């Protein structure tokens, strides 16, 4: 098992490296330079001098090697060129990552148990009123796009009824001020998890071992909890990863509407103003997070379902 | 078997939970952003800034260093916490004028008629936030930093020759460019002649007013030497002055006391400010609110003292007593790349450009966005003198403007047919690029797509190509290296409102970063005369007539670009605020930093 | 159990002589019962099961209704989807029948009207005057409900069922036209997603080992990049437009399907029937597609059914960020994005697109529930 984990971690680094290289070249080849949008008063000399200062006049390969050297020797991810001129990219990211992670994890933390609960409920009372009601409710919440949902929540709950603050305010306790954004982010994962668990669980409920469990004398609920649930968790665990990734993505919109100083906002802004260094670092960070999530999930496969040994050949 | 796997599962779940809690606990406390702000004294922890003016920014600020601030988001913040030689001050009678802030009085000309050597005396009681006295050394250091040839601050070139050309300043800044010779600081026309006196030497003759305006620019503000020098990185290549609260030193009307990244910035009154008796507010709070709707909701709830109105809301609040309207900041034109060689160079055909101009129903398009239809280059915000008379309100300025806002479909069709014949084309397909995030450019593009086609007939098609802002920008400027980089585009320049010639400099030959190719000798000659000529310097009416001639040639002879409308600039102001000025001061705005709250 | 304790039978039956017993089935022909019904195929069986599920049928009807309206809707009004009419900009919705009931009657509440300017309003346009009078800076301000059509001086018989947008284009027509585009993007994306994902996932899942390792690394690399960044970069490079967006949606989405198929394969490839089939000499390809894959069909159908609305969703998200399809074409996403910007002033502009996309999502999801049940082999014959 440990060997497997080490192999996977090595794999992660390789993937990161590939992503970093690809992203670096893609960004440099993108149209638009670092001085676009700046006051149109610069003389040609000034412009050339500025480019030379940031090594932009050298060929791409050289720039890439300099970049790598910077990271390895000094942990220098470069300096932001447009958004926060002369500020180290690492500092920019380090300030914003905690709040985004907080939102993401909190949202995942509440949506996983709720999703599992709803899914189990729906599968147990399948095709009954409860099942349809749960499905309908859950689907209704995710059928409205996140930005409309977020705006709506803000308008009704925060503005009209005044239960929660409109935007992020660091002088209020963090839980109050992030309640609405976390709620807005959680609807989608709850729905996905409920849906998948219901599908998987209802399939498992028809299996033979369930029949055996019932004849043994276990109640329906007991049999479900002890047997069917564990089998159904595998695809659900598989779905947690995209759910988490979608939370990270959805946080872009939610962060901007609720004014949360997180990573999503800065990523979008850096793409829009072509601030390469920040975009690159941000990209690598997101990649790292999702790869780590995938690794965690794969490890948990083995824990939850002993039948599955990842990497096994077709001759089982 | 079951036991062990169950145990592993529970252990694993516990690990996950712990990890999550740990990570979320990382940012547990409100001030846990590790920024060195919120030092102990949490007077603001209650979150209720009683009596403070509450406003907002639509984006987080980049830096407090005005030399590197490219997009102007933090302009208000550093303008109000820094010192300049000259700044707008309310006169107590509902008006305001450009008076000495760090300087005691107007600059004095030392060489009489030559008008190139000027002496300025500084106040002796000015202080930094930490108590250090401000002397001429600070000013010299600030200018040296702005013009640092190794740092190459983008705002530095403005400090060198924005309104007046300081002797050798630009040369000093660009001395390391290939082909330029080194220039030492002693050669630059900024000299210290006493502990509190300085001398400025300009290349050309100028007058006191221009010097005052030049040193009213943010790029000439003061930089604190000790703080700046402590902000160099290990290789002395990059300076991070202004990137956080402890890397910045205030000395102006207000002091920056709080900085919560991407979220909130607080200014508090500076009791040591030179005009401290005129400042009535205890402080100003800036929140970061990117979404327009949220800002409006906050205002209606009483959490914001002012809010900007988008085009849609203007109609709704037009009659509201809190409605304030300012002259438009920017005008949008349809740019025509006359160097484009596709389609037999039809974009260079005068008749075609005339056709485009007269086919645009400006009035209707402007009505859609509550904007002002424009048939000119100089917008309604441009003023001719300190009294605030606008250029456009002069009768002579509207004499050459066409009727019906330049909308004449039959004439447009005639010109179009003529142009197509001259270029030997039977059908035409053009593409217009615009910034997809701009709420005003898309309606213009969509409107002209249908209306031009209606007027010109089926032989004409206009394709829309929305692009992200930076891509559109580089495409627009790219015609210098690739003549066919774009065909039509929608954008506008943003000139300074109290300098008439600033709006026309974009259309002179050889202006870097122009949107299209300009090569009208008469315009160039008039421009030289207006900016450098002696008569223009002394006789304002003469200057106005020069500017009018230039505008007339550019639009009504060359049809170099197709103006559409001026973007409205309206906002709501809380009814309890009393402004220090009764009318908007050109160059100074409404001076909300000197406002006060009055209770009913 | 002792004879005495068994009290079930009457005493006289306890002493029956042997001759009275006769074997009954000695001459009977024993054979299996004939099947009562005809054999039906997998698909027909699935469809039968599906149609019995009332909710799924309603959902299917909903989807079909939306698709029908997407094509027939624009024909119901005299307006084209790009007929700009600046004088009729931003009108609230007005429908001929419902206006008598008081909803959708073209009225709007104008806040912040000065009390003394009320007589300047056009004839007959004021419907109701609000009771709260505020005094701001010494001026009395009140809310007024106006018939917005009369207020802006539009001709009497104009009806816009869903109102108009900022250029005066009829929103009913635009919305249905946009639905067409959105559905197109959704279907294209989901189908291609499905095909690529199945092929990739089944190969990776079946062969395992090195092949699996390499393929999964590729998947990880692609999946690791956050969707919004990847799509934005894609569109920045290739320009916006229908094809770009479909490709951009494709680039990442097939990975989820592939991962799903792969994990299903891992579950089922160890089963005995696979071993049996292989020992009978069935080729790999047939094994994958005929034997193992149908078991995986359940979650895949669910996935495809949710992929369609999720593609529409992502597309609307892109439109919100400004990366939508080229105007003047529109999609539900672009209408939502435009409407969201003015939600405080003109809330109806976002209401109708939101309703349509909700209906689509709800129906597709409920349908996928039913389809999953329908295609579940363990329920066959139930």
């Amino acid at each position: 098992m440990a060997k497997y984990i080490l192999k996977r971690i090595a794999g992660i680094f390789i993937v990161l490296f590939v992503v970093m290289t690809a992203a670096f070249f893609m960004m440099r080849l993108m149209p638009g330079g670092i001085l676009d949008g700046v006051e149109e008063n610069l003389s040609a000399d000034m412009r050339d001098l500025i480019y030379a200062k940031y090594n932009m006049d050298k060929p791409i390969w050289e720039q890439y090697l300099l970049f790598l050297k910077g990271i390895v020797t000094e942990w220098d991810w470069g300096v932001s060129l447009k958004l926060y001129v002369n500020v180290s990219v690492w500092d920019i990211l380090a300030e914003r990552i905690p709040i985004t992670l907080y939102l993401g994890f909190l949202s995942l933390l509440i949506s996983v148990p709720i999703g599992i609960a709803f899914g189990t409920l729906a599968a147990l009372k399948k095709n009954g009123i409860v099942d349809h009601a749960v499905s309908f409710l859950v689907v209704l919440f995710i059928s409205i796009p996140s930005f409309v949902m977020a705006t709506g929540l803000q308008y009704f709950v925060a503005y009209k009824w005044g239960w929660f603050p409109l935007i992020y305010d660091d002088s209020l306790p963090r839980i109050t001020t992030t309640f609405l954004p976390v709620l807005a982010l959680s609807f989608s994962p709850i729905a996905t998890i409920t849906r998948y668990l219901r599908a998987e669980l209802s399939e498992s409920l028809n299996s033979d071992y369930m029949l055996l469990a019932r004849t043994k004398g276990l109640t329906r609920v007991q049999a479900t909890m002890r047997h069917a649930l564990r089998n159904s968790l595998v695809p659900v665990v598989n779905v947690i990863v995209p759910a988490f990734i979608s939370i990270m993505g959805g946080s872009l919109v939610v962060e901007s509407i609720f004014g949360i100083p997180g990573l999503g906002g800065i990523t979008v802004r850096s793409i829009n103003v072509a601030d390469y260094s920040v975009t690159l670092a941000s990209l690598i960070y997101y990649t790292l997070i999702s790869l780590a999530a995938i690794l965690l999930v794969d490890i948990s496969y083995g824990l939850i379902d002993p039948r599955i040994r990842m990497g096994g050949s077709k001759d089982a | 078997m079951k036991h062990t796997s169950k145990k592993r599962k529970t252990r694993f779940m516990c690990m996950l939970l712990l990890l999550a809690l740990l990570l979320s606990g990382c940012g547990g406390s409100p001030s846990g952003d590790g920024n060195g702000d919120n030092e102990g004294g949490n007077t603001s922890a209650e979150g209720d800034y009683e009596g403070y003016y509450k406003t907002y920014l639509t984006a987080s600020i980049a830096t407090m260093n005005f030399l590197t601030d490219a997009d102007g988001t933090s302009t208000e913040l550093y303008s109000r916490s820094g010192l300049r030689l000259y700044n707008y001050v309310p006169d107590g009678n509902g008006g305001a004028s450009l008076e000495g802030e760090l300087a005691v009085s107007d600059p004095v000309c030392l060489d009489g008629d030559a008008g190139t050597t000027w002496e300025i005396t500084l106040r002796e009681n000015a202080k930094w936030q930490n108590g250090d006295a401000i002397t001429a050394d600070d000013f010299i250091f600030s200018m040296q930093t702005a013009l640092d040839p190794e740092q190459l601050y983008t705002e530095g070139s403005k400090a060198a020759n924005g309104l007046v050309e300081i002797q050798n300043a630009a040369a000093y800044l660009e001395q390391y460019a290939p082909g330029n010779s080194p220039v030492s600081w002693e050669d630059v026309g900024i000299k210290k002649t006493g502990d509190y006196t300085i001398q400025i030497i300009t290349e050309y003759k100028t007058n006191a007013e221009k010097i005052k305006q030049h040193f009213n620019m943010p790029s000439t503000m003061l930089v604190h030497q000790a703080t700046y020098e402590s902000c160099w990185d290990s290789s002395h290549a990059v300076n991070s002055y202004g990137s956080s609260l402890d890397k910045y030193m205030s000395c102006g009307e207000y002091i920056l006391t709080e900085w919560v990244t991407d979220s909130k910035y607080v200014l508090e009154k500076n009791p040591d400010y030179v005009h401290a008796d005129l400042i009535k507010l205890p402080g100003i709070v800036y929140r970061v609110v990117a979404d327009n709707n949220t800002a409006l909701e906050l205002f209606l709830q009483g959490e914001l003292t002012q809010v900007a109105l988008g085009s849609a809301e203007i109609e709704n609040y037009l009659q509201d007593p809190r409605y304030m309207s300012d002259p438009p900041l920017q005008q949008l034109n349809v740019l025509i790349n006359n160097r484009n060689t596709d389609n037999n160079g039809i974009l260079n055909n005068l008749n075609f450009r005339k056709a485009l101009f007269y086919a645009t129903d400006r009035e209707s398009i402007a009505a859609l966005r509550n904007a002002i239809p424009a048939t000119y280059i100089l917008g309604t915000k441009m003023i001719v003198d300190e009294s605030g008379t606008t250029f456009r309100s002069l009768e002579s300025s509207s004499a050459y403007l066409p009727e019906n806002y330049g909308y004449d479909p039959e004439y447009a069709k005639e010109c179009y047919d003529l142009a197509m014949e001259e270029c030997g084309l039977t059908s035409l397909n053009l593409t217009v690029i615009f910034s997809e995030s701009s709420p005003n450019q898309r309606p213009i593009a969509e409107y002209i797509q249908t209306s031009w086609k209606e007027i010109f007939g089926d032989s004409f098609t206009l394709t829309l190509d929305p692009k992200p802002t930076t891509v559109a920008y580089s495409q627009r400027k790219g015609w210098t290296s690739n003549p066919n980089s774009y065909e039509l585009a929608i954008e506008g320049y943003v000139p300074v409102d109290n300098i008439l010639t600033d709006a026309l400099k974009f259309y002179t030959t050889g202006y870097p970063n122009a949107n299209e190719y300009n090569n009208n000798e008469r315009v160039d000659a008039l421009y030289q005369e207006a900016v450098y000529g002696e008569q223009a310097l002394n006789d304002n009416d003469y200057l106005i007539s020069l500017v009018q001639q230039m505008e007339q040639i550019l639009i009504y002879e060359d049809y170099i670009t197709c103006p559409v409308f001026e973007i409205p600039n309206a906002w709501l102001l809380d009814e309890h605020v009393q402004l220090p000025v009764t009318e908007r001061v050109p160059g100074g705005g409404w001076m909300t930093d000197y406002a006060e709250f009055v209770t009913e | 159990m002792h004879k005495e304790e068994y009290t079930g039978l009457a005493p006289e039956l306890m002493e029956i002589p042997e001759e009275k017993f006769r074997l009954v089935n000695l001459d009977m022909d024993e054979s299996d019962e004939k099947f009562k019904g005809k054999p039906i195929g997998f698909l027909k069986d699935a469809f039968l099961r599906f149609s019995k599920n009332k909710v799924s049928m309603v959902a299917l009807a909903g989807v079909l209704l939306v698709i029908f309206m997407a094509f027939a809707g624009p024909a119901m009004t005299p307006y084209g989807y790009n007929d700009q009419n600046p004088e009729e900009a931003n009108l609230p919705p007005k429908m001929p029948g419902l206006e008598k009931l008081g909803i959708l009657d073209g009225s709007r509440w104008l806040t912040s009207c000065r009390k003394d300017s009320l007589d300047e309003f056009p004839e007959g346009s004021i419907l109701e005057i609000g009771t709260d009078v505020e005094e701001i800076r010494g001026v009395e301000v009140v809310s007024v409900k106006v018939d917005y059509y009369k207020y802006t001086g539009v001709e009497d018989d104009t009806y816009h069922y869903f109102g108009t947008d900022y250029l005066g284009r009829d929103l009913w027509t635009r919305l249905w036209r946009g639905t067409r585009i959105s559905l197109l993007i959704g279907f294209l994306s989901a189908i291609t997603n499905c095909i690529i994902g199945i092929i990739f996932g089944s190969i990776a899942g079946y062969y395992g080992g090195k092949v699996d390792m390499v393929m999964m690394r590729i998947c990880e690399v692609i999946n690791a990049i956050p969707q919004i960044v990847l799509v934005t970069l894609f569109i920045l490079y290739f320009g916006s437009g229908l094809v770009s967006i479909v490709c951009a949606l494709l680039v990442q989405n097939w990975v989820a399907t592939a991962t799903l198929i792969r994990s299903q394969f891992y579950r089922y490839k160890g089963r005995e029937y696979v071993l049996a089939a292989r020992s009978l000499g069935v080729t790999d390809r047939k094994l994958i597609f005929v034997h193992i894959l149908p078991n995986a069909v359940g979650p895949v159908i669910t996935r495809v059914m949710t992929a369609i609305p999720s593609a529409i969703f992502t597309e609307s998200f892109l439109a919100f960020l400004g990366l939508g399809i080229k105007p003047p074409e529109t999609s539900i996403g672009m209408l939502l994005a435009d409407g969201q910007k003015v939600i405080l002033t003109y809330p109806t502009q976002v209401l109708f697109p939101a309703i349509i996309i909700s209906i689509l999502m709800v129906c597709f999801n409920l349908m996928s529930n039913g389809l999953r049940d329908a295609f579940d082999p363990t329920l066959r014959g139930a």
Side-chain angles (χ1 to χ4, degrees), chain B residues 125-166:
Chain B
N125 59 346
K127 282 205 272 251
W128 289 100
Q129 176 186 0
N130 61 357
D132 291 350
I134 298 179
T135 65
D137 286 327
D138 286 292
F139 179 75
I140 302 290
F141 176 75
S142 310
M143 294 306 286
Q144 248 180 319
T145 312
L147 297 171
D148 191 336
E150 282 171 21
Q151 287 307 303
L152 295 166
Y153 290 119
T154 47
E155 298 291 293
S157 47
K158 269 202 229 162
N161 51 14
L163 275 148
V164 299
E165 254 186 71
I166 300 182

Side-chain angles (χ1 to χ4, degrees), chain A:
Chain A
M1 194 60 177
K3 203 173 77 169
Y4 176 67
I5 297 183
L6 280 174
K7 237 182 10 176
R8 288 299 301 275
I9 293 186
I12 288 186
F13 275 109
I14 298 180
V15 170
L16 266 183
F17 187 73
V18 170
V19 169
M20 187 156 72
T21 316
F24 186 90
F25 285 98
M26 205 153 52
M27 295 247 68
R28 286 283 188 264
L29 294 173
M30 201 73 72
I34 59 169
L35 290 173
D36 297 342
V38 169
E39 172 67 36
E40 304 162 286
N41 260 332
L42 294 179
S43 66
D45 277 348
M46 270 288 272
R47 246 181 300 154
D48 290 341
L49 282 170
I50 293 183
Y51 273 118
K53 184 171 143 208
Y54 290 113
N55 289 330
M56 301 280 231
D57 53 345
K58 301 209 180 75
I60 292 195
W61 285 104
E62 233 186 285
Q63 290 186 40
Y64 182 58
L65 289 172
L66 283 170
F67 173 69
L68 281 181
K69 197 174 86 164
I71 297 182
V72 171
T73 53
E74 288 163 24
W75 193 249
D76 171 25
W77 287 85
V79 144
S80 164
L81 300 170
K82 261 199 189 137
L83 285 178
Y84 296 88
V85 182
N86 286 346
V87 178
S88 142
V89 167
W90 176 249
D91 287 339
I92 296 177
L93 252 53
E95 270 185 277
R96 290 172 173 72
I97 288 177
I99 184 74
T100 304
L101 271 184
Y102 178 82
L103 279 186
F105 273 113
L106 200 59
S107 157
L108 202 63
L109 249 154
I110 56 174
S111 46
V112 167
I114 296 184
I116 292 183
F118 276 174
T120 320
L121 198 64
L124 281 178
K125 305 259 193 291
K126 190 153 155 217
N127 285 332
I129 277 285
V130 177
D131 179 24
H132 290 319
V134 165
S135 296
F136 192 75
L137 207 65
V138 138
V139 152
L140 196 65
F141 278 141
I142 58 158
S143 60
I144 307 175
S146 53
F147 52 95
V148 178
M149 172 70 86
T151 311
L153 266 181
Q154 194 186 41
Y155 182 70
F156 286 108
V157 180
Y159 176 59
K160 277 258 156 89
W161 302 334
W163 292 347
F164 287 98
L166 261 150
I167 58 175
Y168 179 76
D169 191 345
D170 72 315
S171 46
L172 297 172
R174 197 170 259 211
I175 191 76
T176 328
T177 208
T178 50
F179 183 79
L180 281 184
V182 166
L183 190 67
L185 279 175
S186 312
F187 284 132
S188 175
I190 289 181
T192 326
I193 296 177
T194 306
R195 143 134 328 209
Y196 269 85
L197 188 62
R198 179 196 173 281
E200 276 307 310
L201 198 55
S202 43
E203 200 175 300
S204 304
L205 285 175
N206 284 323
S207 313
D208 296 334
Y209 61 82
M210 278 297 292
L211 192 56
L212 176 63
R214 293 301 304 280
T215 56
K216 263 204 311 195
L218 296 176
T219 65
R220 202 149 174 246
V221 175
Q222 279 176 322
T224 313
M225 297 306 276
R226 279 196 216 162
H227 297 278
L229 204 55
R230 278 196 66 184
N231 285 320
S232 320
L233 277 182
V234 173
V236 171
V237 167
N238 194 22
V239 135
I240 288 185
V241 169
F244 184 63
I245 295 181
S246 89
I247 290 180
M248 293 260 108
S251 69
L252 290 162
V253 160
V254 170
E255 279 181 16
S256 88
I257 292 184
F258 287 100
I260 298 175
L263 194 57
I266 198 112
T267 314
V268 175
R269 279 170 63 204
S270 66
I271 294 180
N272 277 331
V273 302
D275 190 342
Y276 308 126
S277 16
V278 176
T279 314
L280 196 56
S282 189
L283 198 69
I284 295 175
Y285 167 76
Y286 273 120
T287 311
L288 181 65
I289 284 279
S290 40
L291 287 178
I294 293 179
L295 179 62
L296 272 175
V297 162
D298 274 351
I299 295 177
S300 65
Y301 272 1
L303 289 174
I304 296 179
D305 187 348
R307 277 187 307 176
I308 302 173
R309 282 286 166 244
M310 291 292 113
S313 68
K314 69 176 176 179
D315 301 307

Side-chain angles (χ1 to χ4, degrees), chain C residues 65-372:
Chain C
L65 180 66
V66 170
I67 296 181
F68 171 71
M69 286 305 287
F71 287 97
M76 294 183 190
T77 58
Y79 307 104
Y81 83 100
N82 201 19
D83 284 351
Q84 298 166 4
N85 201 343
E87 282 134 46
E88 295 184 9
N90 291 319
L91 293 174
K94 188 172 181 182
M95 276 201 202
L98 295 173
E99 62 175 335
K100 309 272 181 356
L101 297 172
I103 51 169
L104 297 185
D105 57 356
S107 66
R108 165 175 295 150
W109 277 97
L110 293 178
T111 55
S112 311
C113 293
R114 296 189 184 215
K115 206 144 177 232
D116 39 14
S117 69
L118 286 180
D119 0 315
E120 291 162 31
F121 279 37
E123 194 60 51
S125 55
I126 300 186
L127 297 175
E128 201 183 310
I129 302 183
T131 42
D132 306 318
V133 179
E134 272 183 72
E135 201 179 307
I136 305 178
R137 289 189 196 268
V139 177
E140 288 191 329
V141 162
V142 79
S143 298
V144 180
K145 183 173 180 185
V146 292
D147 179 341
Y148 206 72
Y149 284 67
K150 291 215 180 78
Y151 182 74
T152 46
V154 165
E155 278 173 32
D156 271 338
D157 274 331
T158 26
Y159 285 99
H160 288 284
Y161 300 149
F162 283 164
T164 57
D165 69 353
Y166 57 89
L167 271 174
R169 296 177 289 202
D170 180 51
L171 276 177
W172 168 277
T173 322
R174 267 178 92 66
L175 180 57
W176 295 120
R177 183 145 179 133
T179 313
R180 238 186 266 179
I181 307 273
S182 295
L183 283 172
L184 188 67
I185 294 180
F187 275 112
L188 270 180
S189 164
I191 291 176
T192 337
N193 175 4
C194 194
I195 296 178
I196 300 181
I198 287 182
I199 297 179
F200 207 82
S202 40
I203 295 179
Y206 182 72
Y207 289 105
K210 270 238 177 67
V211 175
D212 179 34
M213 197 90 187
V214 168
M215 286 184 135
M216 284 328 279
R217 291 312 138 243
I218 299 179
C219 280
E220 272 178 24
V221 173
I222 297 182
N223 217 17
I225 307 178
Q227 181 173 42
I228 182 58
V229 180
L230 188 65
V231 176
T232 311
L233 293 177
F234 197 90
I235 295 192
L236 280 182
Y237 221 64
F238 292 105
S240 58
L242 193 64
V243 178
S244 276
I245 293 190
V246 174
C247 288
L249 288 173
L250 269 184
V251 161
Q252 253 197 354
N253 284 344
W254 64 265
V255 171
T257 319
T259 322
L260 190 65
I261 299 277
R262 175 182 168 272
S263 76
Q264 290 291 81
F265 262 71
Y266 270 104
R267 289 176 77 184
Y268 288 114
K269 77 177 179 193
R271 298 287 174 94
E272 292 80 14
Y273 59 83
V274 174
L275 183 58
R278 201 179 315 129
S279 57
L280 283 177
V282 178
T283 60
D284 276 349
R285 213 184 73 187
K286 252 191 139 186
L287 259 180
I288 294 178
F289 289 106
V290 176
H291 287 97
I292 309 184
L293 197 58
N295 287 303
V297 152
V300 171
I301 301 279
T302 315
R303 165 111 195 106
V304 169
M305 278 300 133
T306 46
I308 297 178
S310 125
I312 300 180
F313 237 47
T314 312
E315 188 268 320
S316 82
F317 187 73
L318 286 177
F320 177 71
L321 293 175
L323 300 168
I325 56 173
K326 287 203 178 129
E329 278 296 346
T330 186
S331 72
I332 302 187
M334 295 207 67
L335 290 169
L336 271 173
D338 289 340
Q340 192 261 355
K341 293 196 181 89
V342 292
I343 197 173
L344 284 182
T345 328
Y346 307 118
T348 52
Q349 285 185 15
V350 80
L351 183 69
F352 293 107
I355 291 180
I356 298 295
I357 201 174
S358 314
I359 292 179
L360 271 179
M361 278 293 273
V362 169
C363 291
F364 269 113
N365 278 309
L366 290 179
M367 230 169 70
S368 78
N369 266 353
L371 276 176
R372 198 217 57 83

